[in-house]
Amino acid sequence: MPHIATLPLLLKQLKLSTMARHWEALLPQAREKGWNGAEYLAVLCEQELAERYSRRIARYAKESQLPAGKSLATFDFTQIPDVLQGQIEALAGTGDWTRQTRNLLLFGPSGVGKTHLAVAIGHALVEQGVRVRCFATTALVQQLQLAREQLRLEDALQKLDKYRVVILDDFGYVKKSEQETQVLFELIAHRYETGSLIVTSNQPFAEWDRIFPDQMMTVAAVDRLIHHASIIEIGGDSYRRKEALRQAAGHPTSTTSAPATTTLAGPPPPIHDSGPRQPPPT
Ligand code: ADP
Ligand code: MG
């Protein structure tokens, strides 16, 4: 007969911490339900796996640096066309496009919800076990710039490889020095076919030659970004301004009538694949 007394120790050595915590409490239930040894073991293993999974998701959520509260459920989809809602829910509903290292580009004027949507899609992907990291583009550029000065840019770029999705919020918002632009370009080149980028920008491609110092670099960067990319353009007025006007007029804050779900029924959205593309309208 094996010694049950050693079981906690064995489980600990095997790093089966959930089993170690639950095996004893599960015994009466097993007896009551008439489980045989294999059934009891199967239930314990399921618990171990389920807990590992939820711990992993919690870890991914923390490391993602995604701001809380910006989810699909808190996004008022009445503000944007239905077709965009479908596209966004599809992107949030499956991480398949990230496995294919596709990119997502969100364009539109300030305040229309680009950051909110990028973050919401990020949260939805994390819940599906996708590792995501969200950056203000300028902050990441500064970080990479510093790494380059210390001759460890390649290292810094490789560190990002563990994230299947890197969000670059407000791409091109701040005028950069030539050196900063260079690291931005290297980042795009590095991510190309190694991982996905979600980029938000209020500058359409036509103005990207203001971001990069020369035409060649602009074309090369845009080429890499739009090769296998979904491009979503959000028009309209700033949501912030609309809210302020509504409140000033004495109307309550608008709420989403039906909370949007992060699950999807339909196929993934159409992907604009490669090739030169008309710049989105300003
Ligand atoms: P952008 O990145 O396009 O400048 P943000 O995503 O930062 O805009 O949106 C500005 C503010 O308005 C944020 O607080 C955001 O949560 C909110 N917001 C924008 N659009 C919507 C929307 N359709 N539903 C709910 N909140 C929105
Ligand atoms: Mg923004």
Side-chain angles (χ1 to χ4, degrees), residues 70 74-77 79-80 108-117 169-170 200 239-240:
K70 309 257 176 241
T74 60
F75 191 81
D76 178 1
F77 277 103
Q79 304 293 317
I80 62 169
S110 181
V112 292
K114 301 180 299 295
T115 299
H116 189 133
L117 285 171
D169 191 31
D170 270 334
T200 78
Y239 184 83
R240 260 187 296 250

Side-chain angles (χ1 to χ4, degrees), residues 104-278:
L104 167 62
L105 312 176
L106 288 158
F107 288 108
S110 181
V112 292
K114 301 180 299 295
T115 299
H116 189 133
L117 285 171
V119 168
I121 290 170
H123 280 303
L125 292 172
V126 166
E127 276 165 33
Q128 295 164 57
V130 176
R131 291 180 82 176
V132 175
R133 181 70 162 82
C134 180
F135 290 98
T137 307
T138 41
L140 179 58
V141 162
Q142 273 168 22
Q143 218 171 294
L144 293 176
Q145 176 62 23
L146 190 70
R148 188 161 75 167
E149 280 163 20
Q150 297 166 349
L151 305 176
R152 45 173 195 84
L153 177 60
E154 202 45 42
D155 258 19
L157 290 173
Q158 268 170 24
K159 272 211 181 103
L160 294 173
D161 287 350
K162 65 175 181 246
Y163 301 108
R164 194 120 52 81
V165 176
V166 169
I167 299 179
L168 299 178
D169 191 31
D170 270 334
F171 190 90
Y173 189 60
V174 176
K175 183 83 194 136
K176 296 166 195 69
S177 75
E178 199 159 313
Q179 282 193 325
E180 286 172 332
T181 302
Q182 183 73 35
V183 293
L184 194 54
F185 179 79
E186 293 200 21
L187 171 68
I188 291 168
H190 182 89
R191 289 297 289 187
Y192 183 62
E193 291 184 342
T194 66
S196 294
L197 289 171
I198 298 181
V199 171
T200 78
S201 179
N202 52 12
Q203 302 209 36
F205 286 131
E207 287 168 33
W208 280 27
D209 51 1
R210 285 209 230 128
I211 302 173
F212 295 99
D214 63 69
Q215 198 73 28
M216 290 273 286
M217 203 186 268
T218 311
V219 171
V222 172
D223 249 21
R224 280 167 178 76
L225 273 178
I226 66 174
H227 188 216
H228 306 310
S230 299
I231 299 170
I232 293 181
E233 293 162 34
I234 307 170
D237 282 337
S238 159
Y239 184 83
R240 260 187 296 250
R241 196 167 58 228
K242 279 190 283 193
E243 278 299 282
L245 288 174
R246 238 194 307 270
Q247 285 183 6
H251 296 299
T253 303
S254 72
T255 49
T256 319
S257 47
T261 60
T262 55
T263 47
L264 100 151
I271 303 288
H272 306 272
D273 256 323
S274 69
R277 193 177 171 282
Q278 287 298 311

